[in-house]
Amino acid sequence: MFNKVVTNQTKTMVLLMLVFTAIILLFSGLVYFSIVNFSHQRFYELLKIRTTTIVQIEKSKDHLDLPENYILNSLNDEELPMERDYVFAVPEDSNFRKISQEVHIPDYFFKSIVRKGEANYNDKEFYYIGQTFKYDDKEYIAIASAKNHYVIYYLGFLKRTLITCIVLSLFFSMIFSFYLSKTLFRPILKITGKVKEISSENLHLRLEAQPDNKELNELVDTFNGMLNRIETSFETQNHLIGNVSHELRTPLTSIMGEADVALSINRTADEYKDTLEIILDEAEKLDKKIKALLMIAQTGFDGKIQKMDKVRIDQLLWDVIETLRKIDSRNNIYLDISMLPDNPKKLKVQGNEQLLHLAVANIINNGCKYSNFQQVKVSLGATDTDVYIIVKDFGIGIPEVEMNKIYDPFFRASNTKNYEGYGIGLPLARNIIRMHHGELIVSSHENQGTTVQMRFPNFYSARPERIEKVRI
């Protein structure tokens, strides 16, 4: 529930605050412990200088006379805060328990000095450092101690200063995080608001590019591209509905008209038979158009699974040409094989043979029909990655202003009124070619002819996921 309420902007602000807080705490801790460590080392260095001075003074005496209380100086003569300096003779049995009880310094400290020659120790308030030295073949220990006022008083001030700085830093980091997150998300919120304004009624609206923001501009360009495709789809859909309505209304009008006339007056049996034949003919046309529309829908959207096999395009072309010649002996097709590759494997594609046969046959048949059965040249070639089929006719062509509508189902060019057809061959062929990850390119000039290029990726350059089956 919390994740649904909290926005990404709030999450970003909190994340930035956490990062800033972690950095500030880490930096403050580093500063504090560095200064504490430095103050300890510096104070020990001062004590070491005092200890060395004590040793030198004691060695310079003619006779080393140790005081009874072991303390060399009084509080009034201190060099460091509450300094106390000691000199001890090392007991023959190395037992420092008596001395430890008198000066309140642990005996392990004395033993450490004897073992190492120099050692330091602190009891959280006083700092001690000791050295051994010899005088008249006898071993002694010199210790300097003092209270580290810097650690006790000045570091306390440092703590308070750092805490104050941390609180202020957190406050300012919160303000900065809020401002930064708001600045980062402002363009996104602006885009979101603009997107909410776009609906099916104003698909012409587009998002504006953001200055100096490459990533968001890529998003804007992608979204605008999607809007272009959606707008085109809406226009195509509206055009398709108009075409389909017209194509389906025409035979229905004929059927209804003939039935109405037949029922209006009594007729002879032959007249009723003629009427029924007209109705049957129009019903068959209507059935063909509906089946064609279903075929386009099947090849344009996800549906049943079609099995994909290796298909030799040269063999497929010979089959298509033979089939078209059987359908109409007037079909004059010339197959140009001058661009065939040396390696026949390059002519293999992965696809459904029946669907490919249907697509190629539709393209070649259109070339024959709309060129009034003049010769249609079909060329076959291949590269290392693709197989190409080029169909060229010298027929009536397509008007330039109508080229953008040639893939609309049931659309027929304005110069095709004298030719049979439903306007579904080219859209159907394009859907099938797209299903095979191919490409269909049409170029045409009115009264000069049409050239159609089909490209298919060959079997060996196809992706692994294309190998077995494809959805259509």
Side-chain angles (χ1 to χ4, degrees):
M1 182 65 183
F2 179 75
N3 288 333
K4 293 181 180 178
V5 175
V6 177
T7 62
N8 286 331
Q9 183 177 349
T10 304
K11 291 178 181 178
T12 303
M13 186 182 73
V14 172
L15 180 62
L16 287 172
M17 280 191 60
L18 291 175
V19 172
F20 286 140
T21 301
I23 293 173
I24 290 167
L25 291 176
L26 182 64
F27 181 74
S28 300
L30 182 63
V31 170
Y32 178 77
F33 288 108
S34 297
I35 292 176
V36 169
N37 186 56
F38 173 77
S39 66
H40 287 177
Q41 291 180 353
R42 179 60 181 163
F43 200 73
Y44 277 128
E45 288 176 1
L46 294 175
L47 287 177
K48 185 175 181 180
I49 292 171
R50 295 293 300 154
T51 305
T52 304
T53 303
I54 294 169
V55 172
Q56 291 175 351
I57 292 173
E58 294 301 319
K59 282 185 175 182
S60 64
K61 293 180 180 179
D62 296 332
H63 177 67
L64 190 58
D65 186 16
L66 299 179
E68 293 182 0
N69 60 357
Y70 308 107
I71 301 175
L72 296 180
N73 58 321
S74 63
L75 293 175
N76 295 327
D77 299 324
E78 64 184 28
E79 294 289 338
L80 294 172
M82 299 181 69
E83 181 181 348
R84 289 181 181 176
D85 302 326
Y86 307 88
V87 175
F88 308 97
V90 177
E92 293 182 359
D93 58 356
S94 296
N95 189 346
F96 293 95
R97 187 169 298 174
K98 179 181 177 182
I99 299 174
S100 174
Q101 291 174 354
E102 291 182 9
V103 297
H104 304 291
I105 299 175
D107 59 346
Y108 66 81
F109 176 53
F110 294 103
K111 293 177 180 179
S112 180
I113 296 172
V114 173
R115 185 174 67 255
K116 299 178 181 178
E118 180 179 312
N120 56 60
Y121 158 77
N122 72 79
D123 58 4
K124 295 184 180 180
E125 187 174 4
F126 279 87
Y127 288 69
Y128 302 84
I129 190 165
Q131 292 182 3
T132 59
F133 67 95
K134 287 189 177 182
Y135 186 87
D136 289 339
D137 295 330
K138 190 171 182 181
E139 195 168 13
Y140 295 87
I141 294 176
I143 295 177
S145 70
K147 193 173 184 180
N148 193 344
H149 280 283
Y150 184 82
V151 173
I152 295 173
Y153 299 108
Y154 295 103
L155 288 185
F157 174 76
L158 178 63
K159 284 181 183 178
R160 292 190 295 272
T161 303
L162 287 176
I163 290 172
T164 304
C165 291
I166 289 172
V167 172
L168 290 174
S169 299
L170 291 178
F171 175 73
F172 286 113
S173 69
M174 181 177 67
I175 296 175
F176 177 73
S177 300
F178 175 76
Y179 173 77
L180 183 61
S181 62
K182 193 171 182 180
T183 303
L184 289 174
F185 280 89
R186 186 183 293 118
I188 298 177
L189 295 175
K190 186 178 179 181
I191 290 174
T192 304
K194 190 71 174 178
V195 169
K196 289 180 180 178
E197 296 176 5
I198 300 174
S199 64
S200 59
E201 298 175 356
N202 55 2
L203 281 173
H204 63 279
L205 295 178
R206 294 295 182 268
L207 302 180
E208 297 177 359
Q210 303 296 317
D212 302 325
N213 199 325
K214 182 180 178 182
E215 290 77 12
L216 276 181
N217 283 338
E218 289 181 358
L219 175 63
V220 168
D221 292 341
T222 303
F223 198 84
N224 284 340
M226 183 184 69
L227 287 175
N228 290 335
R229 293 191 295 273
I230 292 175
E231 186 178 15
T232 302
S233 298
F234 265 74
E235 292 176 355
T236 303
Q237 184 183 35
N238 292 333
H239 189 71
L240 171 64
I241 291 172
N243 285 342
V244 171
S245 299
H246 174 74
E247 291 293 330
L248 297 183
R249 191 186 300 117
T250 301
L252 281 174
T253 302
S254 298
I255 292 171
M256 292 169 64
E258 289 294 330
D260 187 50
V261 171
L263 293 173
S264 62
I265 57 175
N266 291 327
R267 292 175 176 272
T268 63
D270 290 337
E271 289 175 330
Y272 279 123
K273 183 179 179 183
D274 292 339
T275 300
L276 289 174
E277 286 178 352
I278 293 172
I279 291 174
L280 177 62
D281 184 55
E282 294 297 328
E284 287 176 348
K285 290 181 180 178
L286 183 62
D287 180 61
K288 288 179 180 179
K289 290 179 180 180
I290 292 173
K291 286 180 178 179
L293 191 62
L294 290 174
M295 176 65 77
I296 293 175
Q298 278 187 327
T299 56
F301 302 96
D302 286 345
K304 62 183 181 180
I305 295 177
Q306 295 288 340
K307 186 152 176 31
M308 309 294 274
D309 299 308
K310 287 183 184 179
V311 179
R312 278 280 297 266
I313 293 297
D314 53 342
Q315 294 177 357
L316 178 77
L317 274 178
W318 284 116
D319 290 341
V320 168
I321 293 171
E322 185 178 352
T323 301
L324 291 176
R325 284 172 177 167
K326 287 179 180 178
I327 293 174
D328 194 330
S329 60
R330 293 176 297 172
N331 287 331
N332 184 4
I333 304 166
Y334 169 69
L335 181 59
D336 179 11
I337 57 174
S338 62
M339 295 186 295
L340 283 180
D342 296 332
N343 186 356
K345 289 185 177 180
K346 293 182 179 181
L347 293 173
K348 291 182 180 180
V349 301
Q350 184 170 287
N352 182 280
E353 187 170 0
Q354 287 74 29
L355 290 176
L356 287 174
H357 190 284
L358 176 62
V360 176
N362 267 318
I363 299 294
I364 299 177
N365 188 53
N366 281 348
C368 294
K369 179 169 61 175
Y370 294 114
S371 64
N372 295 311
F373 302 102
Q374 296 180 58
Q375 188 182 76
V376 174
K377 182 180 179 181
V378 180
S379 302
L380 176 62
T383 64
D384 290 337
T385 57
D386 299 289
V387 180
Y388 292 88
I389 301 174
I390 301 173
V391 179
K392 183 175 180 58
D393 68 64
F394 300 93
I396 62 174
I398 304 170
E400 186 177 353
V401 294
E402 298 177 0
M403 284 294 294
N404 61 335
K405 299 176 183 178
I406 60 175
Y407 297 118
D408 295 349
F410 296 115
F411 170 78
R412 302 194 74 212
S414 57
N415 57 350
T416 61
K417 293 177 181 178
N418 297 326
Y419 298 87
E420 268 190 40
Y422 300 113
I424 55 97
L426 198 56
L428 179 61
R430 186 179 71 156
N431 285 351
I432 292 173
I433 291 170
R434 280 183 172 180
M435 185 193 73
H436 289 80
H437 307 281
E439 182 181 26
L440 178 66
I441 300 174
V442 179
S443 60
S444 182
H445 298 281
E446 191 173 5
N447 298 321
Q448 294 182 26
T450 302
T451 301
V452 180
Q453 176 181 294
M454 291 169 275
R455 179 189 61 81
F456 300 95
N458 69 35
F459 182 83
Y460 302 99
S461 67
R463 297 177 185 172
E465 59 264 28
R466 302 180 192 165
I467 291 177
E468 291 299 328
K469 294 179 181 178
V470 141
R471 286 187 175 271
I472 63 169

